[in-house]
């Protein structure tokens, strides 16, 4: 199965609260999250705009993570801290270049 990436773009004036909200969600709950890694970024050209990049082993793994009660709770609290609705991009990884001359399909 191809790896899967979800990008969440959002605007907020409450980024510190969102950062604090995200930290415990990785370790709490009855099942372990299925993501491979999370990268939180701030848009230099648009202050108050942020993108979170979440990498999963597969689309199925992402859906398993989405179905966790902890994820649903986090999503509701996260949305309440945003200045508008977040935008979700769901991406299948076609290939990657890790910089070590290896290209992974």
């Amino acid at each position: 199965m191809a790896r899967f990436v979800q990008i969440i773009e959002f605007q907020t004036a409450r980024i510190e609260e969102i950062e604090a909200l995200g930290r415990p969600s990785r370790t709490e709950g009855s099942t372990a999250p299925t993501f491979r890694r999370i990268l939180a970024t701030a848009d230099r050209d648009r202050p108050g705009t942020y993108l979170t990049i979440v990498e999963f082993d597969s689309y199925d793994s992402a859906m398993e993570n989405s179905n966790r009660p902890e994820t649903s709770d986090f999503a509701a609290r996260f949305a309440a801290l945003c200045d508008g609705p977040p935008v979700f991009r769901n991406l299948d990884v076609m290939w990657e270049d890790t910089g070590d001359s290896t290209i992974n399909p």
Side-chain angles (χ1 to χ4, degrees):
M1 280 190 213
R3 289 204 330 258
F4 179 80
V5 173
Q6 185 173 68
I7 299 174
I8 305 134
E9 181 175 342
F10 60 97
Q11 286 81 37
T12 187
R14 301 167 70 181
I15 192 62
E16 294 85 8
E17 292 173 74
I18 287 177
E19 289 174 336
L21 176 66
R23 285 190 196 100
S25 70
R26 289 177 225 148
T27 56
E28 292 178 353
S30 57
T31 58
T34 62
F35 59 81
R36 191 180 264 225
R37 70 179 174 152
I38 296 176
L39 184 65
T41 68
D43 191 321
R44 285 180 168 259
D45 300 320
R46 296 180 296 159
T49 300
Y50 303 90
L51 292 96
T52 301
I53 304 158
V54 187
E55 183 179 343
F56 296 90
D57 287 331
S58 67
Y59 173 79
D60 291 339
S61 177
M63 293 305 97
E64 181 182 331
N65 195 68
S66 291
N67 290 329
R68 296 175 69 228
E70 300 84 0
T71 302
S72 296
D73 180 58
F74 170 82
R77 294 188 299 158
F78 166 76
L81 296 171
C82 291
D83 296 339
V87 175
F88 292 84
R89 307 261 190 259
N90 298 304
L91 310 167
D92 292 319
V93 176
M94 295 172 52
W95 60 272
E96 80 175 293
D97 184 340
T98 60
D100 65 358
S101 301
T102 303
I103 296 180
N104 300 311

